[in-house]
Every structure is written in C-alpha cells, then in structure tokens.
C-alpha cells in the first residue's frame, strides 16, 4: 500500500520531545569516561600522490596552513577535483550514474502486469536461474528509481531526489532534479535546466565518493554538459535554515565556458552578492574535512565494485544530516509526512540506527542514539512515547542492547537505563501471560498478541490487528534470551530474573515452532504458512476479499519472524520459499504487500533486512546477493542514493526514510563479517560475490567489531588461479569456530588451501569455507588455489 495514500484521511497525534543535547563524542564520554579520543586531523594525501596532469587550474584560495590551488579534470563529467595545499592535498572524485533507463527492455522482456500479478517472484526466478545473479542484469530488470517523475503521483509536491544538510542544523534542504533548492535556483543561471525533458537525461552522484555533496550532470551533446554542485555550509550555525553552496557551470570541450557560484540565495546587491571562486573552494575544503572527521571511526572496507563501500559511509553521513544535532531521531526528511514529530519515537528508526552503527564500529554514535532514545522515548513503564508500538520491536530492542554490551563493554550506559530495560522486558512477559490464559485449543494460545505494525493504531477499530503474529513472539523470544545472557552484568543481583527470562524465551520458541508446523498448508505449492496461526486464506486472498484484513502488512511479520532466528532450518526455508512463491518478494527483496495490482509490485526498502539476514544464515548466498543488488538499484535513486521506504518498480519517486538508508550498511557488513545468533561461530566473507573476487582487486574489512573483539580480513585473487590474503582473529576472545569463505570465481572450485603454510585438515573444510584456529588477535596468512 502506498503509505501517503494510506495516511490520507487518518488522524494521528504525536508528542514532540526536546532535541538531544549530547553529540556522539559527548555521549560516549558521559557513559564511559576516558574512552573518547580527540578528533583526528583532516586527512591529506602527500604531494607525491597528487596527479593533476591534464587538469585545468580553476583558482586559488587561502586556508589555515597557507595557499591552496584548485584543479579539475574537465575532459570527462566524472573528472576529479584536486585541492592542493602546502602540505599535501585532497582528491574529490566523481562517479555519476544515469537517471534514465538503460535502453534494455524492462522486466526482462515480460510486462509489468505479468510480474505484478504472478504469485511467484518471476524476476527473481529469472535472475537466479544460473546461480549467482549478475549485478547489471539486476539493475536493468526494472526502470531506475525516479526515472519517471510526475508531480501528480506525489500529490503535487516538487519531485526532489536528494537533500543536503549538516549535523548541527535541525532541518534539511531538498535538491530538485535540476540542482535547484527552494532558495537557490540553478535555472536562473541556465534556463535549459528548467526543461524537465532535458533534465530527465541527467546523471547524479556524490562528490568525493560518499560526501553528502550533490553532483548533477545534464548532457547537451558530446563534450558539452551542465555541471551542478550543491553542498551544505558546514560552518553555518542556523538552527533550522540550511545554508548551501552552489556551483553551476557549462563545460564545453574540456573547459568551463561559464560558471556562477552561489551561497544559499540569489544576489541582492549591494548587500548580497555572489561569492567568488575562492570562497566556494575554501568552503569545499572545510566541507571535506568536516565529514572526514565525522566518519573517522567507521570500520574501513575495501570493495572492488564501484560505489559499494561509499554507500555504507554515505548512509552514516546522511543519518547525521537527518538527525537534528546528529542524534535526535527523525524517520524521514523534507516532507511533513515522515519528518513530523509523530514519527520521532518510531522504533524502527532506533533499532536500525543502533544496529548499523554498532556493526560498523561507530560506538559513540550508537551510545548517543541509545541514550537519547531511552531518555526521551522510553517511559518508566517501558512503553514508548509514540503513537503505536510494534510488539516485535520491543524484543529486537532488548536483543540490540545485549549486542551493544557485547561490542562496546559499556555497562555504565545500560545501568543508567536498567529500570526502563527491565520494564521493556516486563511488557513482553505480561503479554505472554495474557496468551497463556487462553484455552489451549485457541490458535493464539502461548503466542504474544499485539500490533505488529504501528499504523494499525490509526484505524477506527485497531483491535482487528491485536493478534498473535508469529513475529511478535519470535522477536520477544530472541530479545528475552539475548538480554538474559547479559543481565547479571547490568544487574548483578538479577540472576533469578535472567533465568526467568530465558525460561520464557524457550517457552515462546517452542510454541512458535509447534504452532507454525500445525498451520502449514501443504495443499499449496510451495507450502504456505501465514503470518499468524488459524488463517484460512493466503495473505493475497485475504487482502483482496477482507476489507480490512487481519493479514495487513504481512511483509513486516515475515521479515521479523525470520530475523529473530528462532525457527529450525527446515521451517526457516519453508517461510522463505512461501514468501517467494506466494507474492511476498519483488526482485528478491521483501515486497510491500497489498492486494494484487497489475501496475505495481513494490519493494520494501526498510525492515526487510531481517529476511536477507536469514538467507545468509541458511547459506542461500545467491538469493542474498540478489537482495543486495536489487536493494541498491531499485530502492535507491541512482547516484544520489536516496533510499525509499517503499519503491515501485515502474520508475517513480519514493518517500525517503532513514531506516531504508541504513539497510545497505547492514547487508555489506554481514556479507563480510557475520556471527551466528548463538554467539558461537564467526563467518568471514560468507557472501562475497564471486565476481568481486574474480576481478583480481583486493577486498576486505578491518577493525570490524564482534562480541569477541575486533576482526578483519583481506583477500585478493590472481590470474594464476591463486587467492592470497590474511585474517586478523578477534582480539579479545576466541569464538568456538571461525569460518573464512573463499568463494572462487564462477565455474571454478577450491582445490587446496593453506593457513600460515600448513595444509587444512579435512574436518576444517566445508565446500569453499575453511576453519581458522588460533589465539585472540593472531594474524593468519591464507593461500588457496582454485581450478
């Protein structure tokens, strides 16, 4: 269902809360004194690493350490900008992506109606028929996001495709297809930028790989294009007004024939005049340094395919832009829907942020997000300060709090919120108690009843969705189990409490499995299991016939059920096959499920990562990679990477939401470093695309946090059929098992491998994975050969 249409006519209220006062650095210091380090100096490349051959000198400016010069490669629209100073410099690369269709027939030669109405995910079936999917084929399977813009489809709003801002500002500035903002208009420089047909052929990207600076290229003819740069002024201190820098240029055959620089507003001489080039490039260097410092703590990753590691960094930069002060939660940006205060306490905003920042080692930001949420949005009784709670998210919250302690060791912050954490767990126990009072023959006996989706609370009678969705109990079981394991560290006298929580978690898990097995419909192919017990219709049938349907929003219920990882493997496989075969996925990503419609089969950009996580656990790697590729290319605008909560596969512009933006960082991190739910096994490189290793380029990650400490690896294949690399085992403790996957190129197989020069025992081999043995912090050299 289109969320904007869904919200029309429904009345909702929300409580505003004050802005969080702590920066991530301050928050980390407050909760764990002595751990915060001083900000690092801005990164500079040595002069010997700067190459400006073929570049055009554009000007010079004074900065803190002396005179700087500006050079740009104007031979190509993706030519880099080099800022050269007295002690080194910076290279701001460009990489734009086309925003119009590739010219390939969409939907792999099928019609949209065929794809939309089929129960099976026909596009996924086609893309997976030869095994690991091809990224470009996935990209071309549907029109690019925002390639077919019609303001009428967006209720008359201007179709912005991205936005800019800073940590310190409490709002953002939308950037439209032409590069204009609401306060500065690029088409006043070049009238042709007002032509939607010309602008539709644009390319979009980010300056410097991931920096939140908008770069747009509007081609005119070979060798001629309009070039637009927009970024927020990082030195501005306005509370709500986003000050912006602009460069609008015409590039003709390797030179800029006309350029206009701007700052926030049109000129109003003599008081307000356009800035000169020196002011613009000085601000650009300040912008570069500001954002490099903000993300200095993220675990470094090297990936051979263009753009992927930048997407992870950009997601964290964008989160700081969206959150006022960098920490106060906002679900969306720009539009009142999603930026309104009624969404601020949305549980998914909290859980996705805490999860992603933890996985990439951004502990200070994670601490600030956790502290702010429990201070402002969790009440003393455990209830959230938001219109409609999602029952399963209480359990996910408890699980992530345990992960926070495992990763950071920051007991003090959890002790600070101990009473609220215990109250959160108590909500789940009381709901479980209610279910145990039902007759045993009731389908919902022993399963937690409650809303699974926040929007349930908006209907005239929300009791229809107060039901025993499997996801409610599954995430409750996971959360109670995980928090029970660490509760004695948070409350040393709470061993009895932790034991009781674990018993409840086990009871819930047993009942989920028992109920789910009893409710499988083996008369359908593939076998079908609904999102809650006792249903007679499939979710598509129910959504078509029952108005309203108790199976509304089944996408969330399925994704959270799988994310909890409480099902035995056979049932987890069954749920995934059911989703793919009965209309719950789109191009391999969880679909935004509604009644069948011949014009849409939408992709769910947020919360769907739980489905992908289970694919990885079950070693369904080809499907995991399809999810990864489809999410990048069909849940994000090309180049500017604005992630949609829900995106259609017809080229429309979705509504941005922050949890969707944080999905790619999670997927990439798990692709490289992933630990099992039991806290026993660590998997390295488990879902690295074979094509990436076959490229011959290095790939890997370093200082990735786990419950056992920091870890990392690097691999590189050679043309002679060898793979060389190294692994740093976790530096604090040793998992029961560490597995490194050596995913040989397609059509090849691993035939031998050595670790530190020693052959691997047969028991330490599983297909393309090898088991690593060693002590904490040990570095192991890897050498393998495939044929």
């Amino acid at each position: 269902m289109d969320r904007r249409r869904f919200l029309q006519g429904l009345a909702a209220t929300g409580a505003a809360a004050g802005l969080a006062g702590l920066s991530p650095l301050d928050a980390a210091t407050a909760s764990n004194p002595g751990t915060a380090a001083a900000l690092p100096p801005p990164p500079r490349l040595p002069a010997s690493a700067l190459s400006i051959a073929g570049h055009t000198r554009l000007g010079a400016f004074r900065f803190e350490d002396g005179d700087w010069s500006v050079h740009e490669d104007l031979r190509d629209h993706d030519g880099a900008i080099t800022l050269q100073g007295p002690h080194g410099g910076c290279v701001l690369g460009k990489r734009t992506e086309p925003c119009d269709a590739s010219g390939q027939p969409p939907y792999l030669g099928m019609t949209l109606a065929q794809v939309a109405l089929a129960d099976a995910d026909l596009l996924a079936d086609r893309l997976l028929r030869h095994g690991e999917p091809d990224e470009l084929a996935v990209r071309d399977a549907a029109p690019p996001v925002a390639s077919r813009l019609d303001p009428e489809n967006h209720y008359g709003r201007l179709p912005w495709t991205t936005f800019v801002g800073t940590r310190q500002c409490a709002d953002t500035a939308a950037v439209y297809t032409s590069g204009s903002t609401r306060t500065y208009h690029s088409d006043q420089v070049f009238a042709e930028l007002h032509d939607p047909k010309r602008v539709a052929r644009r390319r979009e990207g980010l300056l410097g790989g991931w920096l939140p600076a908008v770069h747009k290229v509007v081609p005119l003819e070979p060798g001629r294009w309009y070039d637009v740069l927009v970024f927020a002024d990082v030195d501005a201190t306005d509370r709500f007004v986003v000050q912006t820098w602009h460069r609008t240029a015409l590039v003709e055959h390797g030179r800029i024939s006309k350029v206009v620089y701007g700052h926030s507003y049109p000129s109003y001489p003599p008081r307000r005049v356009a800035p000169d080039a020196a002011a613009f490039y000085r601000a650009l260097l300040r912008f570069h340094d500001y954002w490099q410092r903000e993300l200095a703590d993220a675990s470094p990753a090297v990936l051979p395919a263009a753009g992927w590691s930048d997407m992870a960094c950009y997601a964290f930069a964008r989160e700081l832009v969206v959150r006022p002060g960098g920490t106060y939660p906002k679900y969306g940006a720009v539009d009142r829907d999603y930026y309104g205060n009624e969404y601020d306490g949305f549980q998914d905003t909290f859980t996705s942020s805490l999860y992603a920042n933890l996985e990439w080692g951004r502990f200070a930001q994670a601490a600030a997000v956790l502290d702010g949420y429990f201070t402002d949005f969790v009440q003393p009784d455990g209830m959230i300060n938001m219109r409609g709670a999602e029952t399963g998210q209480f359990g996910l919250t408890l699980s992530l709090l345990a992960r926070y302690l495992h990763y950071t060791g920051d007991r003090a912050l959890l002790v600070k919120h101990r009473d609220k954490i215990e109250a959160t767990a108590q909500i789940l126990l009381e709901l479980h108690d209610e279910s145990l009072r039902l007759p045993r023959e009731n389908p919902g006996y022993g399963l937690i009843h409650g809303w699974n989706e926040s929007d349930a609370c908006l209907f005239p009678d929300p009791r229809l969705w107060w039901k025993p969705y499997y996801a409610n109990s599954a995430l409750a079981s996971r959360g109670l189990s995980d928090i029970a394991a660490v509760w004695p560290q948070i409350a040393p006298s709470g061993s009895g409490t932790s034991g009781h929580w674990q018993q409840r978690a086990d009871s819930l898990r047993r009942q989920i499995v028992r109920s789910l097995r009893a409710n499988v419909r083996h008369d359908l192919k593939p076998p079908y299991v609904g999102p809650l017990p006792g249903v007679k219709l499939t979710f598509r049938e129910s959504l078509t016939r029952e108005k309203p349907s108790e199976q509304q929003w089944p996408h969330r219920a399925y994704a959270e059920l799988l994310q909890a990882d409480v099902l035995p493997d056979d049932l987890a496989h069954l749920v995934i096959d059911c989703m793919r075969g009965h209309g719950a996925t789109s191009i391999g990503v969880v679909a935004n499920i509604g009644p069948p419609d011949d014009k849409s089969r939408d992709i769910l950009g947020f919360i769907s990562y739980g489905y992908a996580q289970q694919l990885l656990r079950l070693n369904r790697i080809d499907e995991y990679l399809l999810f990864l590729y489809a999410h990048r290319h069909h849940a994000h605008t090309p180049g500017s990477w604005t992630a949609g909560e829900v995106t259609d596969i017809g080229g429309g512009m979705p509504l941005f939401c922050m949890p969707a933006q944080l999905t790619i960082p999670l997927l990439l991190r798990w692709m490289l470093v992933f630990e099992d739910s039991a806290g026993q096994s660590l998997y390295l490189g488990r879902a690295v695309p074979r094509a990436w290793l076959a490229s011959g380029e290095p790939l890997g990650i370093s200082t990735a946090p786990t419950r056992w400490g920091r870890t990392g690896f690097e691999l590189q294949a050679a043309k002679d059929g060898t793979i060389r690399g190294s692994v740093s085992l976790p530096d604090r403790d040793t998992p029961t098992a560490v597995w490194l996957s050596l995913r040989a190129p397609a059509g090849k197989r691993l035939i031998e491998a050595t670790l530190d020069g020693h052959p691997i025992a047969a028991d330490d081999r599983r297909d393309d994975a090898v088991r690593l043995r060693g002590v904490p912090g040990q570095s192991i050299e890897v050498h393998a050969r495939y044929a």
Side-chain angles (χ1 to χ4, degrees):
M1 175 181 291
D2 185 290
R3 189 175 178 89
R4 183 73 70 96
R5 292 188 189 278
F6 169 73
L7 289 171
Q8 284 184 328
L10 294 175
T13 59
L19 300 184
L22 291 179
S23 71
L25 196 64
D26 295 333
T29 304
S31 65
N32 201 1
T35 63
L39 287 174
R44 298 284 184 261
L45 291 173
S48 59
L50 301 177
S51 175
I52 56 174
H55 287 41
T56 299
R57 181 184 169 96
L58 299 182
F61 61 92
R62 290 281 298 175
F63 197 61
E64 299 163 352
D65 57 350
D67 293 325
W68 284 67
S69 57
V70 183
H71 309 264
E72 186 167 358
D73 185 355
L74 298 173
R75 296 168 295 182
D76 180 79
H77 52 67
D78 284 349
I81 297 175
T82 300
L83 305 177
Q84 191 169 30
H87 306 294
C90 310
V91 177
L92 302 180
K94 300 177 193 162
R95 185 191 57 255
T96 56
E97 298 176 9
C99 296
D100 53 353
S102 66
Q104 298 294 324
Y107 315 119
L108 306 179
M110 294 177 282
T111 67
L112 177 56
Q114 286 177 295
V115 170
L117 294 176
D119 282 344
D121 187 346
L122 299 181
L123 292 175
D125 292 345
R126 292 273 188 96
L127 291 164
L128 291 167
R129 61 185 171 182
H130 299 303
E132 181 172 301
D134 176 80
E135 182 180 349
L136 295 184
V138 177
R139 182 197 66 185
D140 295 340
V145 177
S147 62
R148 300 175 180 175
L149 294 178
D150 181 356
E152 291 303 314
N153 292 337
H154 307 285
Y155 311 95
R157 75 179 178 92
L158 294 172
W160 58 270
T161 55
T162 187
F163 55 87
V164 296
T166 63
R167 167 198 283 279
Q168 63 266 27
C169 191
D171 207 345
T172 55
V175 181
Y176 301 102
T177 53
S178 63
S180 295
T181 66
R182 287 187 180 271
T183 60
Y184 188 90
H185 305 281
S186 60
D187 56 10
Q188 293 177 352
V189 180
F190 299 111
E192 283 188 298
L193 292 177
H194 192 67
D195 180 359
K197 292 183 179 179
R198 181 173 295 283
V199 172
R201 301 197 301 271
R202 73 196 179 281
R203 301 175 65 93
E204 292 194 7
L206 305 167
L207 197 60
W210 60 265
L211 302 178
V214 176
H215 178 216
K216 292 177 183 274
V217 173
V218 179
L220 297 172
E221 58 189 53
R224 297 181 70 240
W225 66 87
Y226 293 123
D227 195 275
V228 181
L229 293 176
V230 185
F231 61 91
D233 186 342
V234 298
D235 293 316
T237 57
D238 307 76
R239 186 179 181 191
F240 291 105
V241 177
V242 182
Q243 304 286 350
T244 51
W245 287 95
H246 303 258
R247 189 190 80 173
T248 310
L250 172 60
V251 181
E252 298 185 285
H253 309 295
R255 68 183 185 89
I256 293 180
S257 59
K258 179 181 179 180
V259 61
V260 173
Y261 299 96
H263 186 263
S264 302
Y265 310 112
S267 295
Y268 189 92
R271 290 293 185 266
R272 178 181 290 145
V273 295
D276 61 9
F280 177 87
Y281 292 115
R282 185 184 303 109
L284 182 60
L285 180 57
R286 285 282 301 121
F287 170 86
H288 167 272
D289 293 353
Y290 173 102
W291 283 109
Q292 292 288 344
R293 284 174 169 142
E294 287 288 356
L295 264 69
D297 59 350
S299 300
V302 176
L303 303 177
W308 284 102
S309 58
D310 288 337
M311 284 193 87
C313 291
Y314 178 63
F316 294 120
R318 172 153 274 190
E319 182 187 33
L320 297 179
V321 166
V322 168
R323 287 176 172 262
T327 59
Y328 181 85
K330 284 292 179 182
Y331 183 59
V334 180
D335 294 310
R336 179 61 177 80
D337 285 334
Y338 295 13
Y339 192 71
N341 61 67
E342 66 269 25
Y343 298 96
D344 293 353
F346 197 38
Q347 290 155 292
D348 297 286
T349 305
F350 168 65
T351 54
S352 64
S353 174
L354 183 59
Y355 210 161
N357 280 287
L358 283 175
E359 294 290 59
W360 283 88
R362 289 178 47 77
F363 292 166
Q365 177 71 2
V369 167
L370 192 164
D371 190 34
Y373 190 78
F374 266 78
T375 298
D376 294 336
F377 295 99
V378 179
Q379 297 170 343
D381 63 358
M383 191 57 186
I384 59 168
N385 183 17
M386 196 263 181
R387 66 183 189 195
E390 294 164 341
T391 307
Q393 290 290 311
F394 288 120
L396 180 57
T397 293
L398 295 175
S399 177
L400 291 175
L401 295 177
R403 184 175 296 264
Y404 177 84
L405 184 57
H406 284 307
Y407 280 18
T408 69
D410 181 10
R411 174 177 171 271
L413 183 55
L414 300 184
V415 169
K416 174 182 177 181
H417 297 293
R418 177 174 56 199
D419 291 345
K420 289 184 177 181
I421 296 171
E422 189 167 9
T424 300
Q426 187 61 28
I427 290 175
L428 298 175
L429 298 184
E430 291 171 4
L431 292 172
H432 189 211
D433 288 340
E434 289 292 326
S435 73
L436 293 172
R437 297 188 186 102
L438 296 172
R440 286 187 173 270
E441 62 273 14
N442 188 300
Y445 172 80
L447 297 174
I448 289 177
H449 293 55
W451 296 326
N452 178 245
E453 164 60 48
S454 177
D455 288 344
C457 75
L458 303 180
F459 282 80
D461 185 6
R463 291 174 298 177
L464 176 62
W465 295 282
W466 196 267
K467 293 290 172 66
Y469 300 101
Y470 289 122
N472 294 347
S473 297
L475 280 177
S477 175
R478 169 55 54 202
L480 288 170
S481 180
D482 289 350
I483 198 68
V486 300
W487 191 245
Q489 298 179 57
I490 302 169
S493 61
S495 59
T497 299
S498 62
H500 180 59
W501 288 350
Q502 186 60 57
Q503 290 173 2
R504 290 298 193 98
D506 294 341
S507 173
L508 283 165
R509 183 193 299 253
R510 289 192 297 269
Q511 185 61 18
I512 294 164
V513 173
R514 186 182 303 118
S515 176
L516 200 147
R517 288 197 188 280
N519 281 275
V520 177
R521 287 190 58 183
H522 292 285
D523 59 313
L524 298 178
K525 292 185 179 180
Y528 177 84
V529 57
L532 72 164
V535 296
K536 304 300 181 185
L537 302 175
T538 68
F539 53 78
R540 274 192 153 190
E541 292 169 340
S542 176
L543 290 168
T544 301
R545 301 180 196 176
E546 300 175 326
K547 305 289 185 178
S549 165
E550 66 179 350
Q551 295 192 57
Q552 188 79 33
W553 313 290
H555 35 262
R556 176 185 288 275
Y558 283 123
E560 291 183 343
L561 169 62
L562 292 171
Q563 180 174 357
D565 194 26
V566 298
L567 301 178
D569 285 356
D570 67 308
L571 286 183
H573 280 295
L574 184 150
V575 172
I576 290 170
D577 294 341
C578 165
M579 293 176 69
R580 271 192 61 183
H582 292 284
T585 67
S586 179
I587 324 183
V589 181
V590 176
N592 187 63
I593 302 167
D597 177 357
D598 64 0
K599 296 181 178 60
S600 67
R601 190 177 182 123
D602 296 346
I603 284 176
L604 189 68
F606 83 127
I607 69 173
S608 55
Y609 62 84
Y611 172 85
Q613 192 178 61
Q614 190 62 270
L615 291 173
L616 187 59
R617 291 191 189 105
L618 297 174
N619 213 29
R620 297 173 69 150
I621 305 303
D622 294 341
E623 292 166 273
Y624 185 85
L625 292 175
L626 175 60
F627 188 110
L628 176 72
Y629 295 155
H631 199 283
R632 169 180 174 162
H633 293 291
H634 300 292
H636 293 74
T637 56
S640 55
W641 296 334
T642 295
E645 179 195 57
V646 175
T647 58
D648 67 58
I649 58 172
M653 181 65 204
L655 286 172
F656 163 79
C657 83
M658 196 60 231
Q661 195 84 56
L662 291 169
T663 297
I664 287 292
L666 288 169
L667 297 176
L668 290 175
R669 156 56 201 252
W670 298 334
M671 176 185 82
L672 298 168
V673 179
F674 185 71
E675 55 189 86
D676 70 346
S677 300
Q680 296 180 349
S681 298
L682 177 66
Y683 300 94
L684 304 176
R686 191 172 200 187
V688 168
R690 297 185 188 279
W692 289 10
L693 197 57
S695 71
E697 298 294 322
L699 64 89
I701 189 172
S702 58
T703 65
T706 70
R707 69 180 63 214
W708 306 283
R710 301 272 186 167
T711 188
F713 72 93
E714 183 174 345
L715 296 174
Q716 187 169 13
K719 293 181 179 179
D720 63 0
T722 60
I723 301 173
R724 295 183 182 274
S726 62
V727 175
S728 298
L729 293 179
D731 58 13
R732 196 172 63 240
D733 201 355
T734 304
T736 302
V738 180
W739 292 94
L740 171 68
S741 292
L742 300 168
R743 290 172 48 79
K748 309 293 184 181
R749 61 184 179 85
L750 193 67
I751 56 174
E752 67 176 15
T754 61
L755 302 176
D756 283 339
H758 302 292
I760 298 173
D763 289 346
D764 288 341
R765 279 279 305 272
R766 290 182 185 170
D767 297 325
D768 57 8
V770 297
R771 183 169 181 169
L772 309 179
R773 300 179 185 274
V775 298
Q778 180 180 344
S779 179
I780 299 175
E781 296 298 314
V782 179
H783 182 212
R785 188 162 61 91
Y786 58 85

